[in-house]
Amino acid sequence: MDFKLKIENLEKRFGDKVILSGVDLEVDSGTITAIIGKSGTGKSVLLKLMAGILEKENGKISVEYGSENSAQDQKPKAGNLQEIGLSYMFQNNALFDSLSAFDNIALPLVESNSSISASVINQKVKALLKQLDLETVGASYPGDLSGGMNKRIAFARALITEPKIILFDEPTTGLDPERKHTVFDMIQFYKKQFGFTAFLVSHDIPEVYSIVDSIAWLDEGEIKYFGTVDSIDSISDPAIKHYLKTGRLSV
Amino acid sequence: MYLFKLVLNFLSELGEYLIFVLRSCISFGNCRNRFKKLMQSILEIGFRCVLIILIIGLFTGMVMGLQMYYTLVKFGADTALGTAVSLSLIRELGPVLTALMIVGQSGSALTSEIGILRNYEQIDALETMNIDSKGFLAGPRIIAGIICFPILTAFFDLVGIFGGYFSGSVLMGLDAGIYWNKTIDSVQLVDVNGGFLKATIFGFLTMGICTFEGYNAHIKSAFKGIRGVTLAATKAVVKSSVLILIVDYLITSFLL
Ligand SMILES: Nc1ncnc2c1ncn2[C@@H]1O[C@H](COP(=O)(O)OP(=O)(O)OP(=O)(O)O)[C@@H](O)[C@H]1O
Ligand SMILES: [Mg+2]
C-alpha cells in the first residue's frame, strides 16, 4: 500500500543542547533516502526518533495513505511507525553475542506475539541465510565473525520481519570498498524484492548516491537540502553543491 | 532543604524502581518461551551459586558450632548447641548470608550484563523489534530470584547445621544424638517458614535492584560506557546488601 511518510517540525534536545531544531521531511513509500551530514549533527538521533527509541520534544512523525485506498482503520497512529512494521539496523549492529547468528536473525520472529510456528521461522531464516551468503555461519556467534558478516547478519535480522520501513544507520562504515558495494547492492536488491521504504545514513559520498532516490542533508538541526541526486546540479551555492557532490566542505 | 531534596530523590527513585519491577514481571507474562527463559535465568542466578553457598554454609555452621560450644559449655548448657546453631541459621544467618552471596556472585554479573546490553544499544534493538525489553531481560531474572533464593537458603541451612554437628560433636565431643535431637525438637515450622519468607523477599528485592541498575546504567550513572556499567554493578551490590540487612531487621521484628 502506498503511503507518504511525513516528518514535521521535529525537535530534539538533550538538556540544553539542541540537536534537532525543526526537521521537515516528506518521502514516498518505496524510496530510499540518504541522510548525510557531519558527524554529531544528529543523524542517528533522527533515526532513533523515527524508531521511537528516543522521545521527541516537539513535532510530528506520521504516515499518510493515498486517498484511493483510504481505509481509515488501517491508519497507524501518528508518530508510531512501529505499527506498520519498522526495522532498525544499528550503527554497531546491536547483535546479541550470546545468541548464534541463526538465533539472532530468528529473534524478532521467535519473540513476536503473532505465533508463527517454529518450522516456518526455521525456513525463513534458512532462506535468508542462503540469500545473504551466510549459510556456513548460522551456528557461529557474532563475536567470532568478521565485521562484514555481522553487518549482513544485522541486515538479515532487519529483513526477517518483512518490514515496510527500514532505517539503516551507517551500514557500510568500517567495511572495505568491495564489501561496501556488496552492502549497497544488497540493500538495492532487497528493496526491489520486498519493496520497503528506507532511510540510509551514510558518510560514503558519492558511492551511496548510486542506490538512493533522494538525499536529505542534515545540518545544524535542520534539513538544509532535500532532493534527487540529479537536482544537486541545479544548486546555486557552489560550496553546498561541492559538499553534496563530494562530501568535502572546502573546495 | 538539602535533606528534603534527598528524601524526595529517594522516594522518586523508589517509585521508579517499584514500577520497573512490577512492569518487568507483568510483561514477562506476555513473553514467548517463558519456561525456557525462566530455566535459563535459574541456571544463571541459582545454579552458579550452589558450590559457594555450600562452602560458606558449611564453614559458617562450623564456626558457629565452635563459638557457641565454648560459650554454652561455660554455663553447662552445651547440650543446647543443636538448638542454638539450627535456630540462628534458619531464622537469620541462612537467608541473610545466602542472599548476600548470591548478590555478590550473580547479582553483580546480572547488572553488568544488562548494563552492557544497554551500552551496545541492544535494549533499544529489542524495542525496535517490538520485544518488551523489561519482560525479556528483567522479568525472568526477578522471578528466578524468587525461586532460587529460598532453595539456596535451604542448602545453606542444611550444610550449616551439619557443620555445627561436625564442630560440636566430632571435634568437641558433644554426644551426636543430643545435637540432632535438640535440633529436631527445637526447629518449628514457623521458623522455617519465616526463613523462607525472608529469602523470597530478598530474592525479589535484590534481583529487582540488580536488573534496575543495569537497565538504567546509562541514565542513573554520571558516566556512560564501561564506567557507567561498573558503577552500576557496584551500586547494585551495595544497595542490595544494605537493603537485605534493613529488610531482615524489619521482617524479624515483625515476626517475633
Ligand atoms: N542519549 C544521548 N544523550 C545525550 N546526548 C546525546 C545522546 N545521543 C546523542 N547525543 C548527542 O547528540 C548529538 C548527535 O548525535 P548523533 O549520534 O545523532 O550524531 P550522528 O549525526 O549520528 O554522528 P555520526 O555520523 O558520528 O554517527 C551528539 O552531539 C551527541 O553527543
Ligand atoms: Mg550516527
Side-chain angles (χ1 to χ4, degrees):
Chain A
M1 197 190 292
D2 289 344
F3 58 83
K4 267 192 196 318
L5 199 157
K6 268 190 182 171
I7 299 176
E8 289 158 274
N9 193 31
L10 190 65
E11 288 175 24
K12 179 70 193 169
R13 264 177 283 126
F14 287 113
D16 295 334
K17 205 161 116 194
V18 177
I19 308 293
L20 302 179
S21 56
V23 166
D24 292 294
L25 201 60
E26 185 177 324
V27 304
D28 291 326
S29 59
T31 58
I32 305 183
T33 305
I35 299 175
I36 59 170
K38 286 196 293 273
S39 248
T41 45
K43 302 182 297 295
S44 298
V45 168
L46 176 59
L47 290 197
K48 283 178 189 167
L49 288 168
M50 290 165 82
I53 300 169
L54 289 174
E55 293 283 331
K56 57 181 182 289
E57 249 85 45
N58 214 339
K60 206 174 146 197
I61 302 174
S62 57
V63 166
E64 270 176 23
Y65 293 100
S67 51
E68 65 271 22
N69 40 28
S70 58
Q72 282 293 331
D73 51 350
Q74 294 208 15
K75 277 192 185 179
K77 270 183 280 175
N80 194 351
L81 306 184
Q82 292 275 8
E83 281 176 30
I84 61 166
L86 170 142
S87 281
Y88 194 126
M89 192 171 152
F90 285 77
Q91 198 163 348
N92 61 16
N93 300 330
L95 296 169
F96 282 82
D97 353 14
S98 56
L99 297 178
S100 68
F102 188 99
D103 290 338
N104 261 298
I105 299 170
L107 188 69
L109 292 185
V110 172
E111 296 296 331
S112 85
N113 288 320
S114 53
S115 46
I116 310 166
S117 77
S119 62
V120 174
I121 295 177
N122 216 3
Q123 262 172 20
K124 284 191 167 189
V125 177
K126 282 212 173 115
L128 260 182
L129 282 173
K130 192 170 172 192
Q131 286 180 324
L132 288 172
D133 211 7
L134 289 166
E135 271 168 308
T136 52
V137 302
S140 316
Y141 288 82
D144 302 331
L145 297 171
S146 74
M149 279 176 172
N150 281 332
K151 283 267 183 245
R152 275 184 277 164
I153 295 169
F155 188 39
R157 185 176 72 177
L159 285 174
I160 192 89
T161 50
E162 293 173 24
K164 294 273 187 295
I165 300 169
I166 306 188
L167 310 175
F168 296 97
D169 199 347
E170 303 196 18
T172 53
T173 302
L175 299 184
D176 63 52
E178 180 71 31
R179 293 244 162 69
K180 215 173 258 183
H181 285 288
T182 317
V183 169
F184 283 146
D185 291 345
M186 259 164 28
I187 293 174
Q188 198 169 32
F189 177 80
Y190 283 100
K191 200 213 95 176
K192 281 196 187 110
Q193 189 168 342
F194 293 117
F196 51 74
T197 308
F199 289 86
L200 204 167
V201 171
S202 179
H203 291 296
D204 289 311
I205 303 169
E207 291 97 320
V208 67
Y209 292 168
S210 62
I211 65 158
V212 303
D213 299 293
S214 42
I215 302 162
W217 174 38
L218 183 66
D219 194 45
E220 293 171 347
E222 288 170 26
I223 300 290
K224 291 277 173 67
Y225 172 80
F226 179 74
T228 61
V229 179
D230 294 334
S231 57
I232 293 179
D233 287 324
S234 53
I235 297 175
S236 51
D237 187 329
I240 293 176
K241 190 167 164 181
H242 180 76
Y243 173 70
L244 292 180
K245 277 200 154 275
T246 62
R248 288 184 200 172
L249 280 173
S250 55
V251 182
Chain B
M1 196 58 212
Y2 180 69
L3 195 72
F4 178 71
K5 221 173 148 187
L6 215 65
V7 170
L8 210 65
N9 275 346
F10 173 76
L11 286 180
S12 81
E13 173 128 356
L14 187 70
E16 263 179 71
Y17 161 72
L18 287 176
I19 291 169
F20 173 86
V21 173
L22 292 179
R23 272 238 27 217
S24 301
C25 293
I26 293 168
S27 312
F28 179 59
N30 301 324
C31 266
R32 299 281 300 274
N33 309 312
R34 284 188 295 272
F35 185 72
K36 191 176 149 207
K37 288 198 184 72
L38 192 59
M39 282 301 141
Q40 207 170 351
S41 302
I42 288 176
L43 200 71
E44 263 170 33
I45 291 170
F47 196 71
R48 194 189 244 185
C49 295
V50 170
L51 188 66
I52 189 87
I53 292 291
L54 292 179
I55 294 171
I56 303 273
L58 183 67
F59 279 92
T60 307
M62 280 165 64
V63 169
M64 281 171 65
L66 276 185
Q67 288 283 8
M68 287 181 170
Y69 181 82
Y70 279 115
T71 314
L72 290 170
V73 88
K74 275 189 207 153
F75 306 101
D78 51 338
T79 51
L81 184 68
T83 308
V85 169
S86 55
L87 283 186
S88 36
L89 274 175
I90 289 172
R91 285 185 185 163
E92 285 298 331
L93 287 174
V96 170
L97 287 180
T98 305
L100 289 174
M101 289 314 301
I102 305 178
V103 165
Q105 174 143 355
S106 302
S108 56
L110 182 57
T111 308
S112 317
E113 187 190 326
I114 297 183
I116 289 170
L117 291 180
R118 168 63 81 192
N119 216 1
Y120 288 109
E121 299 182 315
Q122 283 158 14
I123 294 182
D124 291 338
L126 286 175
E127 296 293 336
T128 63
M129 290 185 258
N130 264 330
I131 301 171
D132 187 299
S133 56
K134 293 190 183 87
F136 184 84
L137 294 171
R141 265 63 177 261
I142 296 170
I143 293 170
I146 296 175
I147 296 170
C148 292
F149 276 56
I151 295 175
L152 287 173
T153 301
F155 285 4
F156 188 101
D157 292 348
L158 286 176
V159 293
I161 292 170
F162 179 81
Y165 154 78
F166 185 80
S167 292
S169 295
V170 179
L171 295 182
M172 306 312 296
L174 177 74
D175 184 74
I178 293 179
Y179 181 87
W180 290 118
N181 274 334
K182 282 285 178 187
T183 302
I184 293 164
D185 283 348
S186 50
V187 176
Q188 303 292 316
L189 195 61
V190 282
D191 302 315
V192 179
N193 284 346
F196 281 160
L197 177 71
K198 283 182 181 178
T200 310
I201 293 175
F202 293 161
F204 177 72
L205 291 177
T206 58
M207 290 302 107
I209 290 180
C210 291
T211 46
F212 179 70
E213 290 293 337
Y215 193 89
N216 294 313
H218 63 313
I219 311 172
K220 299 274 171 221
S221 151
F223 300 96
K224 292 200 191 300
I226 293 183
R227 272 195 80 187
V229 175
T230 51
L231 269 178
T234 313
K235 265 199 298 187
V237 172
V238 171
K239 281 186 188 170
S240 301
S241 307
V242 172
L243 194 79
I244 288 169
L245 295 172
I246 295 176
V247 171
D248 179 55
Y249 178 80
L250 293 178
I251 300 177
T252 304
S253 56
F254 187 72
L255 287 180
L256 284 179

